[in-house]
Amino acid sequence: MSRPEELHFLTVAEAGRRIREGSLAPGTYVEALIERVRRLGPMLRSTITLASESALAAAQVAESELERGAWKGPLHGIPIGIKDCISTAGLRTTANSRLCSDWIPSDDAPAVAALRAAGAIVFAKLNLNEFAWSIPSEDDLYPPPRNPWSPDHFAMGSSSGSAVAVASGLCPAALGTDAGGSVRQPAANCGAVGLKPTHRLIDSSGSLGARTICELGPITRSVEDAALLLGALVGGNTSYVDSLKRSPGRVRVGVLSRYIDLAQSDPQISAAFSEALRVMSDLGMEVLEVEIEGLAKAAAANFVVLNAEAFAAHEQTLRARMAAYGLSARLYHAQGAFLSAADYIAALSVGEAVRGRVDDSLVAVDALATPVVPVLTAEAARTAKAQPHTGGSAIFTAPFNLTGHPAIAIPGGMSREGIPIGLQLVGRTGGEADLLRLAYAFEQATPWQAMHPPLDVA
Amino acid sequence: MAAALHLELADDELTRLLPMVQDLLAVAEKIRHEQPGAIDRAGPRDPAAHQPG
């Protein structure tokens, strides 16, 4: 039997193996994580709703199924956190807004249903910026999560609670949403893996987000776990994880040096990125310079699309119940009212043009590499420009929301202050298997995945 | 303008919103001007193209 303290940092893959072989009971696992959430939750503030009762009941069901040999796959009995803007049947879904503080959806979002069908247990609803589009503040319905590596700082958003919970050993994996970097940035900032899949690979209905640019994606502690969750989210595709450990072969990695220089990243991030390129080169990958025209414009255009779609989704509620929004969310969602149809169409057109250029560049190379975010902390991200998701803090992530290409953030370094630094890899449309294989090779060659925040130091 | 859109915002909220909207519209305008629409892309047409038959 495993001791509770040994369970907190199990990967999904390892916990799944133990559950299948019978050395770990889902109930024991869930109990250990509940205890950890209760102990660390008040400090970390990552959890809005801990689904103790339903998670324990689901664990009992999983144990019965396993006893009679009805194993559903590697997620069977695995507790998973869900960003609280994604609907969960019978479980409160607040979007961290006073507007939804008592909303209990009757249906699961399809992505949640897919995870449950794979045997996963919905364990907790996780904190976020209000409606995933605001600057978090202490007077939010639930105050902002703290970065477990440096609790004096907030965690980057908007899937902040998801990244904090995974990095802190409160749950082995979470499901977030990403409309401009909201899975990848918090994952990088907390030392986790965050995957934004190809546009529409995963059904994003049942979540609150901008329709044409927002994807649901897993946040995990390993690339293998991201592959496992992605497989379940697309309905039981095991090819992502099956191909993971094959050699990626003679991979060509494109580096957008001129674009990266534009961002004037923190010197520690630039140094970590250079070191990541050296690691890839040592792995036998060919690192090549690449230029793609219009990426900065794509980041800005993504911001226009996000604002237009955020207002469109909230228009009636803004008019009827403006005061129920937090101040920041109120202003963020209102600003899209001032955009014209021509603005929106022009922004989408930028996406079409730049998508073609990214596709062209991904003929010459197998993946693109960039840092994830040019600054180290959530506070610095906010001052990088007046608003997040613009060309400031989202300069590396947002273009690929607009173009729809898959992108993954993986741990790629550590700052002197002890705050993780991420590496972003961008793949071909529908090329998640290749992208994950490349990320896995990098992960295996670096020490970052094995590191955990110093939360258990006496 | 907010009133015209039936958005009830207090004066201090409008004060905070204004620079955000100005930023956003500046970004949108730059994109729009650099991204001609379908008619702009087509350019001036040959008058003969408008002849019936």
Side-chain angles (χ1 to χ4, degrees):
Chain A
M1 294 296 288
S2 308
R3 290 183 305 167
E5 61 270 26
E6 293 172 342
L7 301 177
H8 303 143
F9 286 108
L10 288 181
T11 61
V12 170
E14 177 58 23
R17 276 190 283 273
R18 293 192 192 185
I19 287 171
R20 189 179 191 190
E21 73 188 18
S23 64
L24 174 62
T28 305
Y29 190 22
V30 169
E31 281 172 3
L33 297 183
I34 288 173
E35 183 278 330
R36 189 166 177 84
V37 172
R38 288 189 173 143
R39 182 156 53 86
L40 295 175
M43 189 278 280
L44 293 170
R45 312 197 297 199
S46 62
T47 307
I48 289 181
T49 303
L50 177 60
S52 310
E53 267 185 43
S54 59
L56 284 168
Q60 294 303 314
V61 170
E63 287 177 14
S64 302
E65 291 166 340
L66 289 158
E67 276 171 20
R68 62 172 194 270
W71 184 68
K72 292 182 175 175
L75 297 192
H76 202 168
I78 301 291
I80 288 179
I82 308 289
K83 185 177 182 179
D84 206 23
C85 61
I86 304 171
S87 299
T88 43
L91 187 60
R92 192 172 63 133
T93 299
T94 70
N96 196 13
S97 176
R98 290 174 177 85
L99 283 154
C100 302
S101 58
D102 299 319
W103 181 45
I104 299 177
S106 54
D107 297 308
D108 279 330
V112 173
L115 291 174
R116 288 199 213 257
I121 294 168
V122 173
F123 176 68
K125 299 303 294 290
L126 300 172
N127 205 348
L128 69 158
N129 302 17
E130 184 173 356
F131 287 116
W133 188 223
S134 70
I135 289 181
S137 73
E138 287 293 328
D139 63 356
D140 285 344
L141 180 63
Y142 293 91
R146 295 192 171 102
N147 190 324
W149 293 89
S150 180
D152 289 342
H153 295 287
F154 292 156
M156 287 182 190
S158 67
S159 306
S160 44
S162 301
V164 170
V166 170
S168 306
L170 307 190
C171 57
L175 184 63
T177 64
D178 187 320
S182 284
V183 159
R184 290 162 286 164
Q185 291 187 21
N189 187 227
C190 293
V193 173
L195 174 66
K196 181 197 80 70
T198 299
H199 182 50
R200 289 192 176 152
L201 179 66
I202 297 174
D203 187 340
S204 65
S205 59
S207 66
L208 302 165
R211 280 286 164 263
T212 61
I213 52 172
C214 188
E215 314 300 335
L216 300 188
I219 296 178
T220 59
R221 287 197 291 268
S222 74
V223 174
E224 183 180 20
D225 288 357
L228 285 170
L229 259 75
L230 182 65
L233 287 163
V234 301
N237 182 342
T238 60
S239 68
Y240 300 119
V241 75
D242 289 345
S243 67
L244 207 58
K245 293 173 188 174
R246 276 188 231 136
S247 165
R250 184 70 183 164
V251 173
R252 299 156 301 168
V253 177
V255 181
L256 301 154
S257 294
R258 277 185 50 168
Y259 185 64
I260 292 168
D261 289 347
L262 270 180
Q264 299 182 306
S265 298
D266 183 291
Q268 294 192 71
I269 290 170
S270 299
F273 184 65
S274 296
E275 175 60 14
L277 297 181
R278 188 195 63 74
V279 169
M280 288 191 272
S281 189
D282 287 352
L283 284 167
M285 299 175 191
E286 194 176 353
V287 177
L288 303 164
E289 291 288 328
V290 171
E291 272 204 54
I292 301 174
E293 191 192 338
L295 287 175
K297 199 192 290 184
N302 192 69
F303 173 58
V304 171
V305 172
L306 176 54
N307 275 296
E309 296 192 3
F311 175 70
H314 287 262
E315 179 180 4
Q316 300 305 325
T317 314
L318 280 168
R319 287 188 178 135
R321 301 185 62 194
M322 177 74 88
Y325 288 83
L327 175 59
S328 170
R330 195 178 310 164
L331 302 184
Y332 268 58
H333 286 81
Q335 61 185 332
F338 300 88
L339 291 166
S340 69
D343 293 329
Y344 180 66
I345 297 294
L348 290 175
S349 300
V350 170
E352 282 174 37
V354 178
R355 185 178 307 124
R357 290 179 208 143
V358 175
D359 285 341
D360 290 345
S361 77
L362 287 169
V363 174
V365 296
D366 299 289
L368 303 169
T370 73
V372 179
V373 62
V375 293
L376 285 170
T377 65
E379 291 76 11
R382 263 173 240 147
T383 53
K385 202 158 188 290
Q387 301 172 55
H389 293 62
T390 65
S393 62
I395 188 166
F396 300 129
T397 49
F400 304 107
N401 289 87
L402 195 67
T403 67
H405 291 85
I408 189 168
I410 48 177
M414 185 65 72
S415 74
R416 285 190 300 276
E417 297 84 352
I419 297 173
I421 296 170
L423 169 71
Q424 177 176 246
L425 297 169
V426 181
R428 299 181 181 113
T429 299
E432 275 78 358
D434 291 340
L435 182 64
L436 287 161
R437 196 158 53 236
L438 171 56
Y440 181 79
F442 178 84
E443 178 189 72
Q444 297 305 302
T446 52
W448 316 119
Q449 186 219 336
M451 297 178 72
H452 304 305
L455 292 165
D456 299 301
V457 177
Chain B
M1 194 167 178
L5 291 161
H6 306 288
L7 296 174
E8 287 184 22
L9 289 160
D11 287 349
D12 61 322
E13 291 170 345
L14 285 169
T15 302
R16 291 180 63 165
L17 181 62
L18 184 63
M20 293 168 66
V21 170
Q22 284 171 334
D23 273 0
L24 175 61
L25 293 183
V27 167
E29 186 177 0
K30 189 164 185 281
I31 290 168
R32 210 174 57 238
H33 286 167
E34 292 174 4
Q35 197 72 26
I39 291 173
D40 296 333
R41 267 201 300 272
R45 300 184 63 177
D46 179 353
H50 295 283
Q51 298 300 316

